[in-house]
Amino acid sequence: MSANSRMSLAVHILTWLAYDRRGTDKEIATSQRIASSVNTNPVVIRRCLGQLKDAGLVEVTHGRNGGWNLARPAEQITLLNVYQALPEEPIFGMHASDPNAECYVGFGIQHALGQVYQEATEALRRSLSATTVADVLRDTLDFHSVSAGAAR
């Protein structure tokens, strides 16, 4: 089983854009530049940027000096906004095949798990709504500072 990494990719992109826009160097924020941070193909970045654009989290300017930017300040973009911008997938999946309905456990397990998973999803949404892209950028830069200091 592999974890879905779309959320991490989207948050990485938005955090990179927030960081990139802080500096005085206003080099164009292209999918190629973003891809170098993520260490992936620019096509993957463009696909994700398209979803983020459709959700109103980023905007693109076309032309010679065009590029990608956050559609609003990083402090106003929650991780719940990002989560909702991506194709909806359940956090936990049920069995690949139906359990044995003649077994006491098999008969009721999906109902019981469905309730637990719904509560877990609601808790996740509450947690994501309390964290912004600006928070992630701050924590990322703090970790970099601490790690760079420890390496000396």
Side-chain angles (χ1 to χ4, degrees):
M1 288 185 258
S2 64
N4 179 344
S5 61
R6 276 186 280 216
M7 179 72 177
S8 296
L9 174 67
V11 173
H12 188 146
I13 290 169
L14 293 169
T15 304
W16 186 92
L17 285 169
Y19 177 77
D20 189 58
R21 298 298 89 183
R22 289 172 31 141
T24 56
D25 175 21
K26 294 297 182 188
E27 189 175 342
I28 299 169
T30 64
S31 58
Q32 181 69 42
R33 287 186 62 222
I34 299 167
S36 69
S37 175
V38 179
N39 201 22
T40 193
N41 191 299
V43 171
V44 173
I45 301 301
R46 284 191 292 274
R47 195 174 301 130
C48 186
L49 282 165
Q51 293 171 331
L52 297 173
K53 180 178 178 279
D54 290 344
L57 300 180
V58 297
E59 56 192 15
V60 63
T61 305
H62 297 284
R64 197 175 75 145
N65 293 321
W68 293 93
N69 282 301
L70 297 177
R72 57 185 188 254
E75 296 81 11
Q76 295 176 13
I77 301 173
T78 68
L79 297 193
L80 180 60
N81 298 138
V82 181
Y83 179 74
Q84 292 171 329
L86 303 173
E88 190 167 333
E89 293 182 351
I91 297 168
F92 301 104
M94 290 294 178
H95 306 74
S97 59
D98 288 335
N100 181 352
E102 293 184 25
C103 169
Y104 287 111
V105 173
F107 180 79
I109 192 73
Q110 289 184 328
H111 173 75
L113 288 177
Q115 291 177 322
V116 171
Y117 294 167
Q118 181 60 39
E119 290 173 18
T121 300
E122 290 169 12
L124 172 68
R125 288 175 174 272
R126 282 191 302 276
S127 177
L128 293 176
S129 71
T131 304
T132 67
V133 170
D135 296 331
V136 174
L137 177 58
R138 182 198 63 238
D139 293 348
T140 300
L141 296 177
D142 287 350
F143 180 75
H144 182 268
S145 295
V146 168
S147 296
R152 292 180 193 173

